[in-house]
Amino acid sequence: QQQVKQSPQSLIVQKGGISIINCAYENTAFDYFPWYQQFPGKGPALLIAIRPDVSEKKEGRFTISFNKSAKQFSLHIMDSQPGDSATYFCAASRGRGADGLTFGKGTHLIIQP
Amino acid sequence: KAGVTQTPRYLIKTRGQQVTLSCSPISGHRSVSWYQQTPGQGLQFLFEYFSETQRNKGNFPGRFSGRQFSNSRSEMNVSTLELGDSALYLCASSSVGGREAFFGQGTRLTVV
């Protein structure tokens, strides 16, 4: 059972455009939603995270939008740059986090110059 | 502050062998989690340790085990390796009460 569904699987965006990646979750007990960025040969790096009491969080060019009633959240990358080309994972966890993170399947993002 | 360190970076093992992977968390972090990453299944939670105790385990067979030492360093062991165990094994550490998980670069295990 896939508890976090991520789309699209791959995405091509022109330099300077907005990249949008969407995730939907099923378990209403989830209370922490991070996004990770992974480059080839590297481990995932934490980008930004949100909790369900907030509808939006912005850090630099990265924004998370959260819709609790729809059980959906999304990552927006503004002014996308070639250096943003990577695989992005959404994730969710509950409680103290001891159950670990449940990850989406990932989105392979390519920013064309 | 040094990040999460995993050793070795690459391993090639033969089916039926066992393997031990090591993880040193960020200084001061006491929670260590392990994940398996494969192209087909993505990132999957293996287990989590805090203060030398396993607090939870994902849906993996008993061949996968781990432990944590008093200095918070952790090891995971896979016995009787199968071809399907080929994957990138990632370790993440978190601070006490913290939800942010910081990952190492992983150990690439290839089973032949």
Side-chain angles (χ1 to χ4, degrees), chain B residues 39-100:
Chain B
Q41 298 299 317
L43 282 148
Q44 292 185 291
F45 172 70
L46 278 159
F47 28 66
E48 191 259 2
Y49 285 87
F50 179 81
S51 292
E52 303 179 64
T53 300
Q54 185 182 93
R55 294 200 293 186
N56 215 327
K57 184 172 182 179
N59 189 25
F60 280 83
R63 299 185 297 106
F64 292 82
S65 63
R67 58 178 177 169
Q68 186 180 33
F69 302 94
S70 59
N71 61 359
S72 295
R73 190 177 69 86
S74 177
E75 290 181 347
M76 68 163 282
N77 184 277
V78 187
S79 63
T80 320
L81 284 166
E82 300 177 359
L83 297 179
D85 297 333
S86 295
L88 180 67
Y89 290 89
L90 293 157
C91 166
S93 75
S94 301
S95 60
V96 176
R99 302 295 292 275
E100 297 173 326

Side-chain angles (χ1 to χ4, degrees), chain A residues 31 36 38 93 95 99 101, chain B residues 35 37 55-56 99 101 105:
Chain A
D31 63 354
Y36 284 84
Q38 187 177 28
S93 69
D99 293 346
L101 291 161
Chain B
Y35 293 81
Q37 184 175 26
R55 294 200 293 186
N56 215 327
R99 302 295 292 275
Q105 295 201 76

Side-chain angles (χ1 to χ4, degrees), chain A residues 5 10 14 16 19 26-27 48 74 78-79 82-83 86-87:
Chain A
K5 293 183 179 180
S10 60
Q14 295 297 315
S19 303
E26 299 167 7
N27 189 344
I48 186 173
S74 60
M78 313 300 287
D79 188 25
T87 300

Side-chain angles (χ1 to χ4, degrees), chain A residues 34-38 42-46 89 91 100-103, chain B residues 2-6 23-26 29 33-37 43-45 88-94 99-106:
Chain A
W35 284 88
Y36 284 84
Q37 177 190 57
Q38 187 177 28
K42 302 290 187 181
L46 179 62
F89 294 94
L101 291 161
T102 300
F103 282 89
Chain B
V4 177
T5 303
Q6 292 187 244
C23 172
S24 292
I26 292 171
H29 285 191
S33 301
W34 289 88
Y35 293 81
Q36 181 195 64
Q37 184 175 26
L43 282 148
Q44 292 185 291
F45 172 70
L88 180 67
Y89 290 89
L90 293 157
C91 166
S93 75
S94 301
R99 302 295 292 275
E100 297 173 326
F102 298 93
F103 284 83
Q105 295 201 76

